[in-house]
Amino acid sequence: MWVAAAIVTMLSFGTNNTIFKWSSGKGLSKLHLQFFFYITAFLLTLCYGFFSGGFHLGIYGIFLGSLIGILNANGNIQMAKAFEAGPASLTSPLVGTNAIFPILSAGIIFQEHIAVLQWVGIVFMLGSAVVIQYSPGSGHFVNYRPWISRIIFSIMSFGLLGILMKTTAFLHIHSLEILISMYGGGAVYLAVFSLINKEKWQKSEGNVGALVGVLSIIGYSSYFYALQSGTASIVFPIVSLNCLVVILAGFILFHEKLKSYQMIGVLTALLGIILTKI
């Protein structure tokens, strides 16, 4: 079941990234979309927690959850800035390598045992995530130093986020407590960031952001379940394959052509998931 939960997370995150990709062509602000999806998810999880009861907001949950929300928002912002400063062909696969850090932490800090065949599957999945997103010859360098700095900040944000996600599961903090704190802390961070940037607000950003918020709740709820019930070293690379959804959606919805190396990446990704379950 935890593998199924990780795949649900992959699908949810991939769908959200597809929506973000679609919104770029519509002139919608990614910053505002994130704010609306955070505030929508915060209100929904808070209402659910209030009416369901059975949990409380502790200091550790509030702190770790808020930090996770801020790191996720900052990682997305830095990645968007990296796309503006450098080639998309290298930005996505480089940022995708952040999964290595929580995988290593799961083995070193949390003492998870991974069989050799499972390690092969993990390498297959991570390699596939990089290969699928790489587009040789697309884009060009605008400014190397800002581009690489944005890449590093994004990798650090997403990498630390993964480690903290496993930490909350290790400490047995209620997932709803983390979700409420995560969306609340992220919403405050994005509100401040929006005031600084002073971008024009559009009504449609609220509608799309609300949809992304609902999908995010499904994705992160499944993510916490997978981390609490399964092997984090396998969960993280499965989730990193959300780029598969973006690629396939591009092929079906946007009529983009799949390159031969991307097809190989899809097949090796599926092989990697199979190997981790043997």
Side-chain angles (χ1 to χ4, degrees), residues 5-271:
I7 292 174
V8 169
T9 303
M10 176 192 74
L11 294 173
S12 298
F13 288 179
T15 303
N16 275 350
N17 288 336
T18 302
I19 293 174
F20 280 126
K21 178 179 179 179
W22 168 84
S23 68
S24 297
K26 302 296 181 179
L28 303 181
S29 168
K30 288 186 174 64
L31 180 59
H32 293 167
L33 287 179
Q34 282 196 86
F35 171 76
F36 282 117
F37 107 59
Y38 266 86
I39 199 67
T40 299
F42 170 69
L43 293 174
L44 289 175
T45 51
L46 185 64
C47 289
Y48 177 79
F50 179 77
F51 287 108
S52 66
F55 86 103
H56 70 283
L57 288 174
I59 186 66
Y60 291 114
I62 294 174
F63 174 74
L64 290 174
S66 297
L67 190 53
I68 288 171
I70 292 171
L71 286 170
N72 185 58
N74 186 65
N76 287 327
I77 290 170
Q78 296 299 326
M79 184 167 60
K81 296 291 185 182
F83 280 127
E84 295 172 0
S89 59
L90 295 178
T91 298
S92 290
L94 284 175
V95 172
T97 60
N98 72 81
I100 293 174
F101 296 100
I103 289 172
L104 291 176
S105 74
I108 298 171
I109 301 174
F110 301 105
Q111 302 296 309
E112 287 189 354
H113 173 70
I114 307 294
V116 175
L117 200 58
Q118 289 177 318
W119 273 115
V120 174
I122 289 170
V123 171
F124 268 50
M125 285 188 283
L126 289 176
S128 298
V130 172
V131 168
I132 288 168
Q133 298 175 85
Y134 176 63
S135 301
S138 65
H140 58 279
F141 288 97
V142 176
N143 198 327
Y144 179 80
R145 185 171 294 179
W147 175 71
I148 199 65
S149 64
R150 299 289 187 184
I151 292 276
I152 292 172
F153 284 133
S154 185
I155 290 174
M156 291 175 61
S157 294
F158 287 132
L160 184 56
L161 181 155
I163 296 173
L164 291 179
M165 289 277 290
K166 176 58 183 177
T167 301
T168 61
F170 182 78
L171 295 175
H172 302 290
I173 301 175
H174 199 292
S175 58
L176 185 58
E177 181 181 351
I178 296 296
L179 285 172
I180 293 173
S181 302
M182 179 183 82
Y183 291 125
V188 172
Y189 174 78
L190 288 164
V192 173
F193 210 93
S194 298
L195 290 174
I196 294 173
N197 275 29
K198 297 179 179 179
E199 294 180 352
K200 183 180 178 181
W201 295 79
Q202 302 180 54
K203 182 180 179 180
S204 55
E205 293 169 345
N207 298 329
V208 177
L211 173 61
V212 173
V214 173
L215 291 171
S216 178
I217 292 174
I218 296 172
Y220 271 104
S221 298
S222 302
Y223 205 169
F224 280 115
Y225 174 80
L227 289 174
Q228 290 169 353
S229 307
T231 306
S233 304
I234 296 174
V235 172
F236 289 126
I238 291 177
V239 173
S240 72
L241 290 175
N242 63 80
C243 57
L244 279 173
V245 180
V246 180
I247 291 295
L248 293 176
F251 174 72
I252 298 171
L253 301 177
F254 306 120
H255 306 292
E256 297 175 349
K257 293 183 178 180
L258 284 177
K259 300 176 178 64
S260 57
Y261 66 85
Q262 289 177 322
M263 288 300 299
I264 294 173
V266 171
L267 294 175
T268 53
L270 296 175
L271 178 60

